[in-house]
DNA sequence: AAGGGATATTTCAAATGTCAAAGGTTTGAC
DNA sequence: GTCAAACCTTTGACATTTGAAATATCCCTT
């Protein structure tokens, strides 16, 4: 019968290429690790809060900006395309977690911000979220974690400087 | 008028939480970095080969197993859910890159493997793929890359051991 | 050989994601 | 003032993803 269907990713035998270049091996490992974590977070968000990961991301942005954010700004911060923000915010508004309004100055703009209830709900989600991550990474030395944070930052910078779209200069 | 709409992700100012726990900060940074890279790879795969990232992942698995793989096995290795494999393989079959067959022994099973043309096409994609990654990570010290590979592996192991689904024992 | 339970794949609805174009608004040059 | 260009959001057409349920097949016990 219908079971959980989720690819029960047993572990790290996911096939990081054995004879690939270092950059490729790192990439594959980052990709599978990220997917592992996000699948887990998605599962827990759904189970405990009935929320999705994109919704969580969006609310996280609004949580930091009590005055709200323009939709375009949300798009940039979450790396979610514009067209997508519309529906996302719409659903959150229906749930009473987010509220949309047009500022007086510029009627092209729509600003979204958390409702009181949205703020409350997000605070709970964020706390849980942090706990989940701490649990999942419990076996990793704290020093390694901050070191990783630093080095992944280097990778991110390098990548950002070598995109095909906008060569930075 | 209709422009490119893609959230022109300028760089690392994506908002890694400033006062979050280290684990959360690492997670957010890994997530945004991964997204940055995969968006770029997706773009190039599409432009140069007319392929999608999941298709590439799938073919990568088949490339290593000349005798083919069961769909469920592909699902586990690529972390793509079962339901997804079906359509993915279907499209690749239409394109003549992959071929499906049911082994005599067990008619529940479907085995997919690359066609001659699929093998050829994938080899080209893999070479390009490796080059893109080398370019993107060009500013990162090789020692940092292999160190990262190692440490991300630790994170992955830890996470794998703390999933809600199968607590390992 | 019949049935229950496990396996493997497929199907389905809802949410998300991309890309491209269309709608309103504002701004600035004239 | 008026018009064109720039700006912000929404729409629309589709492909993909997820989670869960439905199908189909096999295996084991009786």
């Amino acid at each position: 019968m219908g079971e959980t269907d989720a690819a029960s990713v047993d572990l790290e035998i996911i096939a990081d290429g054995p004879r690939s270049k270092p950059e490729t091996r790192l990439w594959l490992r980052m990709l599978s690790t990220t997917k592992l974590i996000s699948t887990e977070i998605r599962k827990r968000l759904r189970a405990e809060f009935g929320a999705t990961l994109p919704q969580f991301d969006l609310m996280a942005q609004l949580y930091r900006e009590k005055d709200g954010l323009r939709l375009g700004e949300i798009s940039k911060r979450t790396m979610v395309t514009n067209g997508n923000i519309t529906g996302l915010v719409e659903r959150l508004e229906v749930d009473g977690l987010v509220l949309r309004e047009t500022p007086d100055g510029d009627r092209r703009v729509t600003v979204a911000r958390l409702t009181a209830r949205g703020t409350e709900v997000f605070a709970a989600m964020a706390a849980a979220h942090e706990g989940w991550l701490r649990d999942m990474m419990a076996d990793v030395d704290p020093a390694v974690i901050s070191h990783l944070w630093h080095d992944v930052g280097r990778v991110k910078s390098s990548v950002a400087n070598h995109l095909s779209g906008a060569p930075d200069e």
Side-chain angles (χ1 to χ4, degrees), chain A residues 154-169:
Chain A
R154 290 194 189 179
V155 172
K156 188 169 174 178
S157 301
S158 178
V159 172
N161 275 84
H162 294 278
L163 297 179
S164 59
D168 186 12
E169 55 83 34

Side-chain angles (χ1 to χ4, degrees), chain A residues 108-149:
Chain A
R108 289 172 301 183
V109 175
T110 299
V111 170
R113 64 168 211 270
L114 291 181
T115 60
R117 184 159 150 265
T119 304
E120 195 182 318
V121 168
F122 178 77
M125 291 199 292
H129 182 263
E130 231 167 41
W132 299 334
L133 284 169
R134 214 166 35 234
D135 288 349
M136 286 191 262
M137 299 190 189
D139 302 347
V140 185
D141 186 322
V144 170
I145 290 187
S146 64
H147 194 224
L148 267 171
W149 182 76

Side-chain angles (χ1 to χ4, degrees), chain A residues 25-36:
Chain A
R25 301 209 314 161
L26 173 56
W27 164 238
L28 292 176
R29 184 165 277 192
M30 283 184 65
L31 186 59
S32 58
T33 303
T34 297
K35 194 146 191 178
L36 194 59

